[in-house]
Amino acid sequence: QALATQATQDLTERLRAREAEVEGLEGLKHKMMSDRAVLESIIRNERKQREEEFNDMDANVRARDERIQELSERLAEQHKRSAELDQTLSAEMARRLAGKDTELAARNAKIEELTRRLAAAESGVR
């Protein structure tokens, strides 16, 4: 039973460490989403300003067009990174859950074997 308690404590500590890692990844994802929202807002503002200046098509407007293009490319890259992070998080969570299930099953089997041995030893002593 002490082995089972220690195994459970070890598993709990590892689970907490893994949860902290996932929280860190989720924090990064949240920051990326915030950055994306800021970029989208900037793009909207840039487009609005461009429309207001459309009649005065000069160097400033062409520069703004280039800026909108640059920001749009950055936004697309943010979307791509966000999707990759989502995939990574999902895969990592699935891997960890599968590993935990396997580890728990192995520990349960070991506990059952030790319990059988203990019962056999106790019946042999009597």
Side-chain angles (χ1 to χ4, degrees):
Q1 210 172 27
L3 287 175
T5 302
Q6 181 61 39
T8 302
Q9 287 174 345
D10 290 348
L11 212 65
T12 302
E13 288 176 22
R14 279 191 266 149
L15 176 60
R16 285 187 188 129
R18 288 177 181 166
E19 286 174 348
E21 291 173 9
V22 169
E23 286 176 11
L25 290 172
E26 288 173 342
L28 177 61
K29 178 183 173 186
H30 178 70
K31 184 186 179 322
M32 289 175 71
M33 289 172 62
S34 294
D35 291 348
R36 184 176 70 202
V38 168
L39 285 172
E40 288 172 341
S41 176
I42 291 170
I43 289 170
R44 280 192 302 277
N45 289 337
E46 292 286 336
R47 285 185 175 147
K48 182 180 177 187
Q49 290 178 14
R50 183 192 181 281
E51 287 174 9
E52 293 170 358
E53 298 172 355
F54 184 77
N55 293 331
D56 299 327
M57 192 65 145
D58 60 8
N60 290 336
V61 174
R62 283 189 295 281
R64 182 155 291 128
D65 284 345
E66 291 171 6
R67 175 90 168 126
I68 290 170
Q69 181 62 35
E70 176 190 329
L71 291 170
S72 295
E73 289 169 3
R74 285 176 53 193
L75 179 61
E77 185 61 31
Q78 284 282 348
H79 280 292
K80 180 182 172 188
R81 282 191 213 137
S82 180
E84 290 170 354
L85 183 58
D86 279 342
Q87 286 179 339
T88 300
L89 278 172
S90 295
E92 180 63 15
M93 291 302 290
R95 184 189 68 76
R96 288 179 182 180
L97 286 174
K100 238 187 272 181
D101 288 345
T102 302
E103 190 174 329
L104 284 174
R107 288 186 185 264
N108 282 339
K110 188 168 189 161
I111 289 169
E112 288 173 9
E113 174 62 25
L114 291 172
T115 302
R116 280 193 294 274
R117 286 184 187 177
L118 180 60
E122 286 177 345
S123 66
V125 169
R126 291 184 187 162

